[in-house]
Amino acid sequence: MSEKRDLDLIVRNGRIVTAAEVLPLGVELGVIDGKISCIGTNLTSGPQTQVVDAEGAYITPGGVDSHVHIQQDNSPTGDTWESGSKSAIAGGNTTVIAFASQKRHEESIWPALESYHKKAAGNSFCDYGIHVILTNPNEKVLEEELPLLVEREGITSVKIYMTYEPMKLGDGDLFNIMMRARGLGITTMIHAENNDIIEQITKRLAKQKNTGTFFHSVARPQIAESEATYRAISLAEVTDTPILIVHMSAPTAVKHVNDAQRRLLPIHAETCPHYLYLLSDRLRSGPEDFEGAKNICAPPLRHDARDLEEIWLGLANGTFTVVSSDHAPATFDHECGKLKGLSAPDEHGHRHGDFRVVPNGLPGMETRLPLLFDRTFDPSRPGGGFGDDKIRISLPRFVELTSTNPAKLYGLGHRKGSLAPGFDADIVIWYPEETPLVSQSEADGPQSISSSRQTGGGRGKITITNSMLHHRIDYTPFEGVQVRNWPRKVFLRGQLAWDRDGAGVTAKLGDGEYLKREKSTLLTGQMGRQPTGMLAGELSYWS
Ligand code: DUC
Ligand code: ZN
């Protein structure tokens, strides 16, 4: 008779959140060999069992940040795998998916992929997958290499750009990639902005000497995003293939996605915390500084608070599939970083800003989950916390957007993104929220503030400062933003990887494993529908 084995870990006394619901307090997680083995009440511990008391806090699956740029060749001042993955773990992410980018002159995708594997292997604190950016989708790549990418490498997603001179592809290439992706079950991620609109406006801005940081947001108007989004959707419709429009910031573009979804087209959308929190006024620099460069990303931050609201609405109403960070940082104070856009002093001692040469992108892996969690309510409780005018989405929707959906969309739905038996024991325990926000002694004055609060520590408002983050970037665009909670403990496959009240990051470099991914198991809408206006079977003449 086989001996019943002790659980390695029990997490008790918390409120487990899945994409479907918040389970009652008292439901416990049992873990064996890095996997969740059971969920139940009064689980039995043995001498070998580590028991963790969540103290009534919410427990969510490890975050899956499915769009991060780490240690890419074109980002020399960004994060390394070491710093980036450490930052990910400290922000509650147990999985990231980053990009190996084919260079335009490369006839094959393998050199980029091999060199990217070498950078990541043994250097990650969290589990990771890789997407491939296609910039030269020649016939060999499409016909011979993509099938191997899926079957041999476990890479089931590609990203393509409609803008940026060194990377952008035309509609013909997009069409051909989508046709191939459809046959192979690849998810196509698209950066949708109309390059010609941006290029022409940029030239005209420069002619009028309007190159200061703020003009970055003027050069990339909403219509550039919405036109390209509509075009990408049309190509997806005619080729009948699922796509994901990445990092959406323009409500006019989100409307195209929403319309397409209502026609049951397989169109996914992604947004990022900066498009939910920050406006383009952040791009303004003072006369003596270049601070606005810290908020330069593409698509840009939008102009109006109503634009932010529309993006929140898209989260609440189901239009968006995922929220990623698009962590793509550049150090500010570095000649190849954001300051690259500031000239040397001229004969009068003036320095001139030029947004055209500022690297695009913001850091955000570590702040993604706390920023979004801040706006959640608990639907299992009377009133649920609604009534606070900041609240926008439910806790299950938070889990769906940040963990469950990205796992399913990118072929990890069988092991990541959910707290259920058989899944990896990737677990985030937050701070309990019922306890007094500030203890009496803390309320008495700054001298009595405890050490955990000095580190911005839990149980109460946490003010984001760059000094508390683990990336190797010298700023965060969210400096000074207050959030109500933070991942307190994070387990990666059953091992404690982050302990905010203890040793900080407890995972070891190299604990993170490469994840071979399966095909997507998340579909919005339907496939196999007849594109508008075509005859039944018309597609078979050419597809
Ligand atoms: N925009 C991109 O297209 N990539 C990375 C960062 C950014 O802002
Ligand atoms: Zn990106």
Side-chain angles (χ1 to χ4, degrees):
M1 210 171 70
S2 67
E3 290 272 304
K4 201 163 167 261
R5 200 183 131 179
D6 286 350
L7 292 165
D8 297 330
L9 169 69
I10 295 175
V11 181
R12 61 177 39 142
N13 194 22
R15 289 194 167 86
I16 297 169
V17 189
T18 71
E21 61 217 334
V22 182
L23 301 177
L25 186 67
V27 177
E28 303 173 351
L29 291 170
V31 174
I32 291 184
D33 287 341
K35 297 268 184 199
I36 296 171
S37 70
C38 53
I39 296 187
T41 50
N42 301 314
L43 298 183
T44 308
S45 60
Q48 306 301 324
T49 309
Q50 180 196 0
V51 179
V52 174
D53 183 350
E55 299 180 42
Y58 291 111
I59 301 173
T60 57
V64 178
D65 195 343
S66 55
H67 184 155
V68 300
H69 300 271
I70 301 178
Q71 212 173 333
Q72 282 181 222
D73 292 345
N74 61 359
S75 175
T77 71
D79 272 300
T80 60
W81 268 97
E82 179 170 350
S83 62
S85 62
K86 188 182 251 190
S87 183
I89 279 282
N93 304 287
T94 45
T95 300
V96 297
I97 313 183
F99 296 91
S101 188
Q102 180 194 28
K103 298 194 175 71
R104 185 78 97 189
H105 65 268
E106 289 171 344
E107 297 293 325
S108 161
I109 54 176
W110 305 131
L113 185 57
E114 277 160 29
S115 88
Y116 202 59
H117 266 304
K118 278 193 194 134
K119 288 180 182 172
N123 288 317
S124 185
F125 287 94
C126 63
D127 286 352
Y128 64 96
I130 297 178
H131 311 284
V132 165
I133 295 173
L134 296 177
T135 58
N136 182 357
N138 56 55
E139 199 174 332
K140 181 160 150 280
V141 166
L142 295 185
E143 296 306 317
E144 294 171 27
E145 297 188 353
L146 289 190
L148 292 174
L149 192 68
V150 173
E151 299 305 330
R152 189 182 71 196
E153 306 291 330
I155 294 179
T156 50
S157 46
V158 295
K159 183 180 178 192
I160 49 185
Y161 287 86
M162 296 170 80
T163 185
Y164 296 141
E165 208 40 64
M167 312 175 96
K168 80 170 166 71
L169 300 178
D171 294 351
D173 280 330
L174 261 64
F175 184 101
N176 289 330
I177 290 169
M178 288 186 199
M179 285 298 291
R180 197 67 182 126
R182 173 185 196 265
L184 295 169
I186 287 175
T187 301
T188 305
M189 307 162 77
I190 302 180
H191 179 139
E193 284 185 292
N194 179 310
N195 196 64
D196 287 345
I197 292 178
I198 294 166
E199 221 172 67
Q200 296 315 315
I201 296 178
T202 302
K203 275 189 193 151
R204 286 161 187 263
L205 282 168
K207 249 191 195 156
Q208 300 191 30
K209 300 207 169 12
N210 289 327
T211 61
T213 45
F214 177 74
F215 291 105
H216 179 269
S217 67
V218 176
R220 311 180 88 97
Q222 288 206 30
I223 197 159
E225 185 180 333
S226 55
E227 186 283 328
T229 298
Y230 186 77
R231 195 157 24 107
I233 291 170
S234 303
L235 291 165
E237 179 174 9
V238 74
T239 57
D240 185 28
T241 191
I243 59 168
L244 171 105
I245 310 289
V246 293
H247 47 50
M248 299 194 73
S249 73
T252 50
V254 176
K255 183 170 182 318
H256 289 315
V257 170
N258 191 267
D259 290 346
Q261 289 170 344
R262 280 193 278 128
R263 293 199 292 125
L264 296 181
L265 298 180
I267 311 297
H268 295 283
E270 173 199 82
T271 192
C272 315
H274 38 284
Y275 301 129
L276 294 160
Y277 273 82
L278 308 177
L279 288 170
S280 63
D281 58 357
R282 295 257 180 165
L283 275 84
R284 295 186 194 277
S285 296
E288 300 297 328
D289 68 45
F290 199 55
E291 288 293 299
K294 292 180 175 174
N295 295 285
I296 286 187
C297 58
L301 305 180
R302 298 300 175 191
H303 299 314
D304 196 304
R306 281 170 300 191
D307 298 328
L308 304 180
E309 276 314 309
E310 287 294 322
I311 305 296
W312 280 111
L313 190 65
L315 295 190
N317 72 16
T319 307
F320 285 102
T321 304
V322 297
V323 175
S324 74
S325 66
D326 192 17
H327 182 85
T331 302
F332 177 74
D333 192 4
H334 192 290
E335 59 184 4
C336 299
K338 295 283 188 184
L339 274 186
K340 191 174 171 190
L342 194 58
S343 71
D346 62 16
E347 67 273 25
H348 310 291
H350 298 311
R351 305 176 79 193
H352 300 278
D354 188 343
F355 74 83
R356 293 172 298 173
V357 287
V358 176
N360 279 341
L362 308 181
M365 252 190 292
E366 198 166 342
T367 46
R368 178 185 73 125
L369 294 179
L371 285 166
L372 218 60
F373 190 99
D374 196 59
R375 304 298 178 91
T376 58
F377 67 95
D378 179 347
S380 75
R381 311 179 93 183
F386 240 124
D388 179 336
D389 65 6
K390 277 174 42 185
I391 298 305
R392 295 288 180 275
I393 55 171
S394 72
L395 276 164
R397 180 74 175 134
F398 162 82
V399 164
E400 184 175 59
L401 286 163
T402 58
S403 192
T404 313
N405 274 358
K408 288 181 182 172
L409 179 67
Y410 294 113
L412 294 169
H414 56 296
R415 59 178 286 195
K416 301 287 186 189
S418 197
L419 296 173
F423 279 69
D424 284 5
D426 294 346
I427 302 166
V428 178
I429 304 176
W430 298 75
Y431 283 94
E433 298 200 324
E434 288 74 26
T435 47
L437 293 186
V438 182
S439 71
Q440 196 47 53
S441 62
E442 287 175 356
D444 287 344
Q447 297 87 338
S448 58
I449 285 174
S450 71
S451 62
S452 80
R453 280 189 71 80
Q454 282 169 355
T455 57
R459 297 179 198 260
K461 293 284 182 199
I462 294 166
T463 302
I464 297 173
T465 63
N466 198 50
S467 59
M468 67 194 255
L469 303 179
H470 295 73
H471 58 199
R472 62 162 206 175
I473 307 303
D474 53 1
Y475 80 97
T476 165
F478 301 105
E479 186 79 31
V481 173
Q482 283 201 327
V483 289
R484 76 173 206 244
N485 211 326
W486 203 275
R488 183 184 192 184
K489 284 186 175 21
V490 175
F491 292 84
L492 172 64
R493 285 178 273 106
Q495 297 297 318
L496 186 67
W498 164 246
D499 182 1
R500 194 163 186 271
D501 297 331
V505 175
T506 52
K508 292 188 300 306
L509 188 64
D511 278 355
E513 290 177 358
Y514 173 64
L515 300 167
K516 281 195 171 187
R517 294 183 284 122
E518 299 182 351
K519 292 177 185 175
S520 176
T521 52
L522 191 68
L523 182 66
T524 180
Q526 294 171 351
M527 287 182 68
R529 290 174 64 81
Q530 202 59 38
T532 310
M534 287 193 181
L535 298 171
E538 186 174 326
L539 230 62
S540 67
Y541 291 126
W542 52 266
S543 71

